[in-house]
Amino acid sequence: MVHEFDAVIVGAGGSGLFSALEASKKARTAVISKLYPIRSHTGAAQGGISAALGNVEEDKPEWHAFDTVKGGDYLVDQGAALLLAEDAVQAVYELENWGLPFNRTPEGRIDQRRFGGHTRNFGEAAVRRACYAADRTGHMILQTLYQQCIKNEVSFFDEYQIVDVILEGNRCGGVVAVNLATSELHVFKAKAVLFATGGFGRIFKITSNAYANTGDGPAVLARRGVPMEDMEFYQFHPTGIRGLGILISEAVRGEGGQLFNREGKRFMETYAPTLLDLAPRDMVARAILTEIRAGRGMRGDKKIDDYVHLDASHLGKEIIMSKLPDITEFCKTYLGVDPAEQPIPVQPTAHYAMGGIPTDLDGRVVADGKGGLYEGLYAVGECACVSVHGANRLGTNSLLDLVVFGRRGGKHIAEYVQGADSPRMGKDPAEPSAARIRELMDGKKGPQAGTIREEMQVEMMEKVGIYRNEGDMKKAVEKMQELRGQYREVRVQDTTGTFNTDLLEMIELGNLLDLSLLTAASAENRKESRGAHAREDYPDRDDANWLRHTLAVLEGDDVKIDYKEVDTSRWEPKPRVY
Ligand SMILES: Cc1cc2nc3c(=O)[nH]c(=O)nc-3n(C[C@H](O)[C@H](O)[C@H](O)COP(=O)(O)OP(=O)(O)OC[C@H]3O[C@@H](n4cnc5c(N)ncnc54)[C@H](O)[C@@H]3O)c2cc1C
């Protein structure tokens, strides 16, 4: 079946919905989503969305942009960061006007709280910059945007999983998707396609990410030769529930929660004397691991030292219930711990992809390191890399990235499609996907997909995790190549047509393997430590050789590396001290 639209948005998280809202003002727009829209991972975002509103204390977009650049260890494109911080104010008020129920100050303004790495006056002290709706900020953003899209008559194709993109040279002409209900392939022809497919935390064993976060967008594009930017920078959030990885928002520390080791010491005093527990995530995650490795972690069930304590009990029941109700529920359900009374056992969890599909400031996908662009192809949100997060994202800057660049991408599409011709497509653009699905379902016996997934996740966690070194990463690259070889032989066991989740998960596993390989190879290539990429064999940042973005191109089982300049037009790179 073939559908035709001016614009197709793949993904119904915050970034996809915001783009759809803007594009639909002038273009016939469809949103394709493998999940029902409000089940997107944006709905799990807890802590907040940053904007220098200055509602509680003095703040400025310029300080916000600087914090973003420094937080990202100077790999951030500075023009993009300034735009992010400046547009933030309007974006948050726009969400408010659409009915987002933010928490309020006693005077009725949007309330703001502290978050890691957000400071006043270029690093003097923590500032209250995160706007929030209790600890359900993402949920509220998603509901608000979905309502607006319905009101604006955006067409939704829910529970369609895209499996391929139609690219003729550098021109994008649409996508190919499986209808989950029937397993039928549908072709969506469009003048412009925007990818907003979210993150890929599922390449790691312990992650805060939902099961659906399998990086389908970047993987589909990578297989068609689109380069992936800065894949080596993957963020570990310091505070996941021990053993499970479920996120305990940084908002707990923003409200005053503190980290303690086994000796009862507030160990962040050693690592970040000014910001303490509110230092950027890469630093706090490393500090926790360093404490654990030095034998100062708490004792786990298996008698290994593997976690630390996050204590919020001093905040009192009232604050905890009004500002952190969901976190409290998670702790009670999964740990039997009431954060108002006891400390929470936490350990770092794989959380956020700083890298992804390279784009310019309007979401247009970048083709190479010389400024070449694809035509009619866009990406925004976590699957994209614009790059405002550089080597390490600050908390609350992702939700902001979704709305600021979602709006810009959608606006650009609305104009672009006015003058664009209808794209040309080959005779049967769905045939490569159909052939692959026939093969997966031919009833032969193949290796166990579950085992491949487990091996990939454990290998990535152990060898391409918080601390890295040459030997381990080389092994990880080889392992991913071997697992991709095995994957080529896998078969689905369920060969029926209705809601065949076996088939869809198998396709997702292929995507995860491609992204694992790109991540491991990009990490092995970068011979320095910067932001979330911490190498034991190259412990220092090396601006002379490595102040540049990686562009990684998938070529069969190999990864070819190229580079792209970093925009450092505003602030000179300095050592990061907090
Ligand atoms: C637990 C948690 C808490 C967080 N808290 C915060 C926070 O407080 N503040 C903050 O700034 N950031 C936070 N983040 C990060 C932030 O929420 C995410 O980066 C962001 O929501 C991603 O939004 P997105 O629009 O890019 O993608 P998502 O919201 O993940 O949506 C992806 C969409 O793509 C669709 N999709 C994917 N693959 C396909 C396919 N093959 N075919 C069709 N559709 C597809 C899905 O159906 C979905 O609709 C948090 C993240 C997590 C995991």
Side-chain angles (χ1 to χ4, degrees):
M1 197 180 290
V2 179
H3 311 261
E4 189 162 352
F5 288 89
D6 290 333
V8 160
I9 312 289
V10 187
S15 61
L17 293 180
F18 216 117
S19 313
L21 254 184
E22 282 299 333
S24 65
K25 289 181 183 164
K26 285 193 174 174
R28 279 189 61 238
T29 304
V31 174
I32 304 176
S33 176
K34 68 176 177 181
L35 301 171
Y36 185 69
I38 49 176
R39 294 180 63 100
S40 305
H41 192 69
T42 297
Q46 303 168 353
I49 174 166
S50 49
L53 305 182
N55 279 357
V56 189
E57 57 188 319
E58 189 190 4
D59 199 4
K60 296 179 185 171
E62 198 192 0
W63 296 349
H64 184 183
F66 173 78
D67 290 340
T68 301
V69 169
K70 181 177 169 188
D73 220 350
Y74 292 90
L75 197 74
V76 171
D77 285 329
Q78 299 187 3
L82 281 158
L83 195 91
L84 179 86
E86 278 157 15
D87 281 8
V89 177
Q90 188 201 342
V92 165
Y93 286 133
E94 201 161 19
L95 289 169
E96 183 192 33
N97 292 342
W98 285 333
L100 200 150
F102 284 112
N103 277 43
R104 301 277 161 183
T105 65
E107 306 79 46
R109 296 201 180 119
I110 295 174
D111 198 10
Q112 299 190 271
R113 64 178 160 210
R114 296 191 178 114
F115 244 80
H118 291 280
T119 71
R120 86 171 127 74
N121 206 14
F122 309 103
E124 259 175 31
V127 76
R128 293 175 196 272
R129 185 176 289 148
C131 312
Y132 63 100
D135 51 2
R136 305 178 184 123
T137 314
H139 174 84
M140 297 305 183
I141 289 182
L142 209 51
Q143 300 283 341
T144 305
L145 291 175
Y146 187 49
Q147 287 162 5
Q148 291 298 317
C149 282
I150 297 291
K151 189 174 144 202
N152 282 282
E153 297 181 349
V154 173
S155 303
F156 279 90
F157 289 83
D158 299 336
E159 302 190 328
Y160 281 70
Q161 181 161 327
I162 72 117
V163 289
D164 202 1
V165 61
I166 302 164
L167 272 181
E168 299 274 332
N170 269 14
R171 171 89 199 267
C172 181
V175 289
V176 180
V178 181
N179 178 352
L180 269 64
T182 62
S183 297
E184 275 170 350
L185 284 173
H186 290 239
V187 172
F188 290 83
K189 197 175 168 188
K191 292 177 183 171
V193 173
L194 182 141
F195 280 82
T197 55
F200 45 88
R202 289 280 151 187
I203 63 175
F204 293 102
K205 179 78 185 149
I206 296 196
T207 175
S208 66
N209 280 203
Y211 282 97
N213 286 16
T214 51
D216 303 354
V220 157
L221 291 173
R223 286 198 292 272
R224 292 276 170 202
V226 176
M228 291 297 130
E229 183 171 347
D230 293 341
M231 293 294 281
E232 60 272 41
F233 297 104
Y234 199 93
Q235 176 168 84
F236 281 75
H237 193 295
T239 61
I241 289 184
R242 184 187 148 244
L244 298 174
I246 296 169
L247 192 76
I248 298 297
S249 171
E250 199 169 286
V252 174
R253 281 171 288 139
E255 294 293 348
Q258 300 170 352
L259 291 162
F260 292 95
N261 67 14
R262 184 148 53 126
E263 293 160 0
K265 181 173 157 55
R266 209 178 156 191
F267 57 87
M268 283 312 297
E269 286 168 356
T270 319
Y271 302 90
T274 308
L275 288 190
L276 301 164
D277 305 273
L278 286 174
R281 290 176 180 171
D282 58 331
M283 296 176 80
V284 182
R286 276 196 295 278
I288 292 176
L289 203 63
T290 307
E291 291 296 305
I292 290 171
R293 284 178 168 190
R296 294 190 292 272
M298 302 293 166
R299 285 219 183 278
D301 299 338
K302 295 179 200 133
K303 304 279 178 268
I304 40 172
D305 298 334
D306 64 355
Y307 67 98
V308 295
H309 272 155
L310 172 60
D311 191 8
S313 57
H314 58 286
L315 300 179
K317 254 203 161 59
E318 203 179 308
I319 297 244
I320 288 188
M321 282 320 290
S322 64
K323 296 192 167 173
L324 305 163
D326 275 10
I327 299 299
T328 306
E329 275 313 305
F330 294 158
C331 291
K332 286 184 179 166
T333 305
Y334 296 106
L335 294 164
V337 163
D338 181 350
E341 284 167 9
Q342 283 163 276
I344 312 166
V346 292
Q347 134 197 91
T349 181
H351 184 60
Y352 184 86
M354 268 76 71
I357 307 161
T359 73
D360 73 357
L361 296 178
D362 291 313
R364 289 186 293 176
V365 176
V366 169
D368 52 47
K370 298 176 211 79
L373 292 171
Y374 284 92
E375 201 185 328
L377 183 62
Y378 296 74
V380 291
E382 188 170 339
C383 72
C385 178
V386 43
S387 134
V388 283
H389 310 304
N392 171 62
R393 171 174 75 84
L394 291 189
T396 68
N397 266 356
S398 171
L399 290 177
L400 181 59
D401 174 4
L402 309 183
V403 297
V404 166
F405 291 99
R407 186 212 271 118
R408 289 184 69 91
K411 260 196 170 42
H412 200 278
I413 286 181
E415 295 307 323
Y416 168 77
V417 299
Q418 305 306 318
D421 305 333
S422 197
R424 281 190 298 276
M425 291 193 308
K427 217 170 111 241
D428 192 357
E431 181 45 30
S433 308
R436 175 70 183 131
I437 290 172
R438 278 197 300 274
E439 187 181 45
L440 282 169
M441 292 175 83
D442 65 9
K444 289 189 188 152
K445 272 225 148 332
Q448 284 286 334
T451 315
I452 298 178
R453 182 183 295 109
E454 176 74 14
E455 283 189 34
M456 169 195 73
Q457 290 176 332
V458 170
E459 187 83 357
M460 289 301 288
M461 196 79 196
E462 287 177 355
K463 303 211 167 66
V464 199
I466 295 180
Y467 281 112
R468 302 163 168 189
N469 65 63
E470 187 86 22
D472 276 354
M473 286 187 290
K474 278 213 153 82
K475 280 189 203 138
V477 169
E478 282 164 21
K479 183 80 183 178
M480 293 314 135
Q481 288 165 335
E482 180 197 317
L483 292 176
R484 285 171 96 235
Q486 291 177 22
Y487 174 76
R488 282 182 207 119
E489 303 303 318
V490 294
R491 295 293 188 276
V492 296
Q493 286 167 354
D494 177 0
T495 53
T496 58
T498 313
F499 284 104
N500 190 336
T501 50
D502 194 9
L503 172 68
L504 298 164
E505 281 175 19
M506 202 69 87
I507 295 171
E508 290 173 344
L509 174 60
N511 296 336
L512 289 170
L513 284 166
D514 291 350
L515 298 181
S516 295
L517 176 63
L518 282 159
T519 302
S522 302
E524 197 255 314
N525 179 66
R526 183 175 284 271
K527 295 185 175 45
E528 65 157 352
S529 288
R530 181 187 298 274
H533 178 63
R535 289 191 60 148
E536 290 159 323
D537 42 358
Y538 297 94
D540 299 323
R541 196 175 85 191
D542 175 2
D543 286 343
N545 294 303
W546 289 102
L547 186 56
R548 49 186 177 166
H549 297 293
T550 304
L551 289 181
V553 180
L554 196 58
E555 287 189 344
D557 264 341
D558 293 322
V559 175
K560 208 182 91 207
I561 303 279
D562 193 5
Y563 301 98
K564 184 166 151 276
E565 250 179 60
V566 180
D567 166 9
T568 52
S569 51
R570 182 62 179 269
W571 291 287
E572 204 184 308
K574 295 235 171 72
R576 263 195 335 162
V577 182
Y578 283 96

